[in-house]
PDB file of all heavy atoms in Angstrom:
ATOM      1  N   LEU X 914      75.984 134.314 100.327  1.00 57.00           N
ATOM      2  CA  LEU X 914      74.842 135.188 100.053  1.00 57.00           C
ATOM      3  C   LEU X 914      74.205 134.815  98.722  1.00 57.00           C
ATOM      4  O   LEU X 914      72.983 134.736  98.608  1.00 57.00           O
ATOM      5  CB  LEU X 914      75.286 136.655 100.047  1.00 57.00           C
ATOM      6  CG  LEU X 914      74.201 137.695  99.777  1.00 57.00           C
ATOM      7  CD1 LEU X 914      73.123 137.625 100.860  1.00 57.00           C
ATOM      8  CD2 LEU X 914      74.803 139.081  99.715  1.00 57.00           C
ATOM      9  N   THR X 916      74.275 131.905  97.310  1.00 53.00           N
ATOM     10  CA  THR X 916      73.606 130.622  97.515  1.00 53.00           C
ATOM     11  C   THR X 916      72.210 130.822  98.084  1.00 53.00           C
ATOM     12  O   THR X 916      71.243 130.207  97.628  1.00 53.00           O
ATOM     13  CB  THR X 916      74.438 129.737  98.472  1.00 53.00           C
ATOM     14  OG1 THR X 916      75.708 129.510  97.890  1.00 53.00           O
ATOM     15  CG2 THR X 916      73.765 128.406  98.713  1.00 53.00           C
ATOM     16  N   LYS X 918      70.340 133.632  97.967  1.00 57.00           N
ATOM     17  CA  LYS X 918      69.511 134.387  97.021  1.00 57.00           C
ATOM     18  C   LYS X 918      68.994 133.502  95.895  1.00 57.00           C
ATOM     19  O   LYS X 918      67.849 133.609  95.482  1.00 57.00           O
ATOM     20  CB  LYS X 918      70.285 135.573  96.433  1.00 57.00           C
ATOM     21  CG  LYS X 918      70.569 136.661  97.421  1.00 57.00           C
ATOM     22  CD  LYS X 918      69.329 137.449  97.724  1.00 57.00           C
ATOM     23  CE  LYS X 918      69.669 138.612  98.632  1.00 57.00           C
ATOM     24  NZ  LYS X 918      68.491 139.296  99.097  1.00 57.00           N
ATOM     25  N   MET X 921      70.015 127.801  95.989  1.00 52.00           N
ATOM     26  CA  MET X 921      70.701 126.621  95.484  1.00 52.00           C
ATOM     27  C   MET X 921      71.440 125.957  96.640  1.00 52.00           C
ATOM     28  O   MET X 921      71.856 126.633  97.583  1.00 52.00           O
ATOM     29  CB  MET X 921      71.688 126.990  94.379  1.00 52.00           C
ATOM     30  CG  MET X 921      71.010 127.511  93.124  1.00 52.00           C
ATOM     31  SD  MET X 921      72.175 127.782  91.795  1.00 52.00           S
ATOM     32  CE  MET X 921      72.641 126.110  91.399  1.00 52.00           C
ATOM     33  N   PRO X 922      71.629 124.650  96.579  1.00 52.00           N
ATOM     34  CA  PRO X 922      72.349 123.949  97.649  1.00 52.00           C
ATOM     35  C   PRO X 922      73.796 124.426  97.757  1.00 52.00           C
ATOM     36  O   PRO X 922      74.449 124.697  96.750  1.00 52.00           O
ATOM     37  CB  PRO X 922      72.299 122.486  97.219  1.00 52.00           C
ATOM     38  CG  PRO X 922      71.279 122.397  96.157  1.00 52.00           C
ATOM     39  CD  PRO X 922      71.146 123.752  95.551  1.00 52.00           C
ATOM     40  N   SER X 923      74.296 124.510  98.988  1.00 56.00           N
ATOM     41  CA  SER X 923      75.659 124.996  99.206  1.00 56.00           C
ATOM     42  C   SER X 923      76.711 124.060  98.622  1.00 56.00           C
ATOM     43  O   SER X 923      77.795 124.504  98.255  1.00 56.00           O
ATOM     44  CB  SER X 923      75.919 125.226 100.691  1.00 56.00           C
ATOM     45  OG  SER X 923      75.853 124.010 101.394  1.00 56.00           O
ATOM     46  N   VAL X 925      76.635 122.700  95.772  1.00 50.00           N
ATOM     47  CA  VAL X 925      76.781 123.044  94.363  1.00 50.00           C
ATOM     48  C   VAL X 925      77.600 124.324  94.200  1.00 50.00           C
ATOM     49  O   VAL X 925      78.552 124.379  93.433  1.00 50.00           O
ATOM     50  CB  VAL X 925      75.397 123.213  93.688  1.00 50.00           C
ATOM     51  CG1 VAL X 925      75.545 123.728  92.268  1.00 50.00           C
ATOM     52  CG2 VAL X 925      74.634 121.897  93.701  1.00 50.00           C
ATOM     53  N   GLY X 928      81.020 124.075  96.972  1.00 60.00           N
ATOM     54  CA  GLY X 928      81.850 122.876  96.948  1.00 60.00           C
ATOM     55  C   GLY X 928      81.906 122.164  98.279  1.00 60.00           C
ATOM     56  O   GLY X 928      82.861 121.454  98.574  1.00 60.00           O
ATOM     57  N   THR X 935      72.934 106.069 105.997  1.00 94.00           N
ATOM     58  CA  THR X 935      71.915 105.041 106.125  1.00 94.00           C
ATOM     59  C   THR X 935      72.151 104.392 107.480  1.00 94.00           C
ATOM     60  O   THR X 935      73.090 103.599 107.640  1.00 94.00           O
ATOM     61  CB  THR X 935      72.023 103.988 105.005  1.00 94.00           C
ATOM     62  OG1 THR X 935      71.954 104.650 103.746  1.00 94.00           O
ATOM     63  CG2 THR X 935      70.905 102.966 105.104  1.00 94.00           C
ATOM     64  N   GLU X 943      80.117 113.036  99.226  1.00 93.00           N
ATOM     65  CA  GLU X 943      80.292 113.658  97.918  1.00 93.00           C
ATOM     66  C   GLU X 943      81.130 114.925  98.067  1.00 93.00           C
ATOM     67  O   GLU X 943      81.148 115.537  99.121  1.00 93.00           O
ATOM     68  CB  GLU X 943      78.933 114.021  97.317  1.00 93.00           C
ATOM     69  CG  GLU X 943      78.030 112.813  97.101  1.00 93.00           C
ATOM     70  CD  GLU X 943      76.663 113.196  96.610  1.00 93.00           C
ATOM     71  OE1 GLU X 943      76.566 113.746  95.495  1.00 93.00           O
ATOM     72  OE2 GLU X 943      75.694 112.962  97.354  1.00 93.00           O
ATOM     73  N   ASN X 944      81.786 115.311  96.999  1.00 90.00           N
ATOM     74  CA  ASN X 944      82.590 116.539  96.932  1.00 90.00           C
ATOM     75  C   ASN X 944      83.786 116.515  97.874  1.00 90.00           C
ATOM     76  O   ASN X 944      84.162 117.545  98.415  1.00 90.00           O
ATOM     77  CB  ASN X 944      81.746 117.785  97.223  1.00 90.00           C
ATOM     78  CG  ASN X 944      80.663 118.000  96.210  1.00 90.00           C
ATOM     79  OD1 ASN X 944      80.772 117.568  95.072  1.00 90.00           O
ATOM     80  ND2 ASN X 944      79.605 118.648  96.623  1.00 90.00           N
ATOM     81  N   LYS X 946      87.900 115.999  98.736  1.00 93.00           N
ATOM     82  CA  LYS X 946      89.149 116.340  98.025  1.00 93.00           C
ATOM     83  C   LYS X 946      90.206 115.248  98.138  1.00 93.00           C
ATOM     84  O   LYS X 946      91.035 115.109  97.261  1.00 93.00           O
ATOM     85  CB  LYS X 946      89.728 117.654  98.551  1.00 93.00           C
ATOM     86  CG  LYS X 946      88.847 118.846  98.289  1.00 93.00           C
ATOM     87  CD  LYS X 946      88.727 119.100  96.812  1.00 93.00           C
ATOM     88  CE  LYS X 946      87.790 120.243  96.529  1.00 93.00           C
ATOM     89  NZ  LYS X 946      87.454 120.354  95.126  1.00 93.00           N
ATOM     90  N   GLN X 952      91.795 103.457 108.052  1.00 98.00           N
ATOM     91  CA  GLN X 952      91.979 102.305 108.926  1.00 98.00           C
ATOM     92  C   GLN X 952      90.602 101.717 109.213  1.00 98.00           C
ATOM     93  O   GLN X 952      89.591 102.386 109.036  1.00 98.00           O
ATOM     94  CB  GLN X 952      92.659 102.727 110.226  1.00 98.00           C
ATOM     95  CG  GLN X 952      94.027 103.334 110.017  1.00 98.00           C
ATOM     96  CD  GLN X 952      94.624 103.890 111.305  1.00 98.00           C
ATOM     97  OE1 GLN X 952      93.932 104.089 112.287  1.00 98.00           O
ATOM     98  NE2 GLN X 952      95.923 104.140 111.277  1.00 98.00           N
ATOM     99  N   CYS X 955      88.956 104.050 111.766  1.00 98.00           N
ATOM    100  CA  CYS X 955      88.932 105.496 111.547  1.00 98.00           C
ATOM    101  C   CYS X 955      89.231 105.826 110.086  1.00 98.00           C
ATOM    102  O   CYS X 955      90.241 105.384 109.538  1.00 98.00           O
ATOM    103  CB  CYS X 955      89.955 106.176 112.450  1.00 98.00           C
ATOM    104  SG  CYS X 955      90.012 107.967 112.260  1.00 98.00           S
ATOM    105  N   GLY X 960      87.961 117.739 102.877  1.00 91.00           N
ATOM    106  CA  GLY X 960      87.048 118.471 102.014  1.00 91.00           C
ATOM    107  C   GLY X 960      87.639 119.813 101.665  1.00 91.00           C
ATOM    108  O   GLY X 960      88.758 120.148 102.075  1.00 91.00           O
ATOM    109  N   ILE X 974      86.002 101.254 102.749  1.00 97.00           N
ATOM    110  CA  ILE X 974      85.544 102.037 101.607  1.00 97.00           C
ATOM    111  C   ILE X 974      85.113 101.057 100.528  1.00 97.00           C
ATOM    112  O   ILE X 974      85.935 100.332  99.969  1.00 97.00           O
ATOM    113  CB  ILE X 974      86.643 102.993 101.092  1.00 97.00           C
ATOM    114  CG1 ILE X 974      86.988 104.008 102.175  1.00 97.00           C
ATOM    115  CG2 ILE X 974      86.181 103.694  99.818  1.00 97.00           C
ATOM    116  CD1 ILE X 974      88.131 104.936 101.828  1.00 97.00           C
ATOM    117  N   GLU X 980      84.197 111.978  92.444  1.00 89.00           N
ATOM    118  CA  GLU X 980      83.103 112.768  92.997  1.00 89.00           C
ATOM    119  C   GLU X 980      82.590 112.279  94.348  1.00 89.00           C
ATOM    120  O   GLU X 980      82.152 113.068  95.169  1.00 89.00           O
ATOM    121  CB  GLU X 980      81.909 112.796  92.023  1.00 89.00           C
ATOM    122  CG  GLU X 980      82.145 113.620  90.779  1.00 89.00           C
ATOM    123  CD  GLU X 980      82.881 112.833  89.703  1.00 89.00           C
ATOM    124  OE1 GLU X 980      82.668 111.607  89.617  1.00 89.00           O
ATOM    125  OE2 GLU X 980      83.692 113.430  88.983  1.00 89.00           O
ATOM    126  N   GLU X 985      81.346 101.701 104.429  1.00 98.00           N
ATOM    127  CA  GLU X 985      80.477 100.740 105.112  1.00 98.00           C
ATOM    128  C   GLU X 985      81.135 100.309 106.415  1.00 98.00           C
ATOM    129  O   GLU X 985      82.344 100.421 106.576  1.00 98.00           O
ATOM    130  CB  GLU X 985      80.248  99.506 104.237  1.00 98.00           C
ATOM    131  CG  GLU X 985      79.438  99.780 103.005  1.00 98.00           C
ATOM    132  CD  GLU X 985      79.165  98.501 102.227  1.00 98.00           C
ATOM    133  OE1 GLU X 985      80.043  97.604 102.199  1.00 98.00           O
ATOM    134  OE2 GLU X 985      78.089  98.412 101.648  1.00 98.00           O
ATOM    135  N   HIS X 987      80.343  99.673 110.932  1.00 98.00           N
ATOM    136  CA  HIS X 987      79.573 100.145 112.088  1.00 98.00           C
ATOM    137  C   HIS X 987      80.097 101.530 112.459  1.00 98.00           C
ATOM    138  O   HIS X 987      81.119 101.660 113.140  1.00 98.00           O
ATOM    139  CB  HIS X 987      79.718  99.170 113.260  1.00 98.00           C
ATOM    140  CG  HIS X 987      78.926  99.566 114.454  1.00 98.00           C
ATOM    141  ND1 HIS X 987      77.582  99.329 114.555  1.00 98.00           N
ATOM    142  CD2 HIS X 987      79.293 100.211 115.585  1.00 98.00           C
ATOM    143  CE1 HIS X 987      77.150  99.806 115.713  1.00 98.00           C
ATOM    144  NE2 HIS X 987      78.171 100.355 116.355  1.00 98.00           N
ATOM    145  N   ILE X 988      79.401 102.575 111.998  1.00 97.00           N
ATOM    146  CA  ILE X 988      79.826 103.954 112.229  1.00 97.00           C
ATOM    147  C   ILE X 988      79.345 104.379 113.620  1.00 97.00           C
ATOM    148  O   ILE X 988      78.152 104.355 113.901  1.00 97.00           O
ATOM    149  CB  ILE X 988      79.260 104.892 111.149  1.00 97.00           C
ATOM    150  CG1 ILE X 988      79.754 104.445 109.764  1.00 97.00           C
ATOM    151  CG2 ILE X 988      79.670 106.345 111.421  1.00 97.00           C
ATOM    152  CD1 ILE X 988      79.023 105.106 108.609  1.00 97.00           C
ATOM    153  N   ASN X 995      87.422 121.703 111.464  1.00 79.00           N
ATOM    154  CA  ASN X 995      87.742 122.851 110.603  1.00 79.00           C
ATOM    155  C   ASN X 995      89.214 123.164 110.606  1.00 79.00           C
ATOM    156  O   ASN X 995      89.957 122.918 111.429  1.00 79.00           O
ATOM    157  CB  ASN X 995      86.953 124.087 111.024  1.00 79.00           C
ATOM    158  CG  ASN X 995      85.484 123.900 110.702  1.00 79.00           C
ATOM    159  OD1 ASN X 995      85.131 123.194 109.780  1.00 79.00           O
ATOM    160  ND2 ASN X 995      84.652 124.534 111.474  1.00 79.00           N
TER     161      ASN X 995
END
Side-chain angles (χ1 to χ4, degrees):
L914 180 61
T916 299
K918 291 286 185 188
M921 294 186 69
S923 64
V925 173
T935 304
E943 299 176 64
N944 297 334
K946 296 295 177 191
Q952 300 174 344
C955 180
I974 297 176
E980 289 84 33
E985 292 184 325
H987 182 80
I988 300 167
N995 290 331

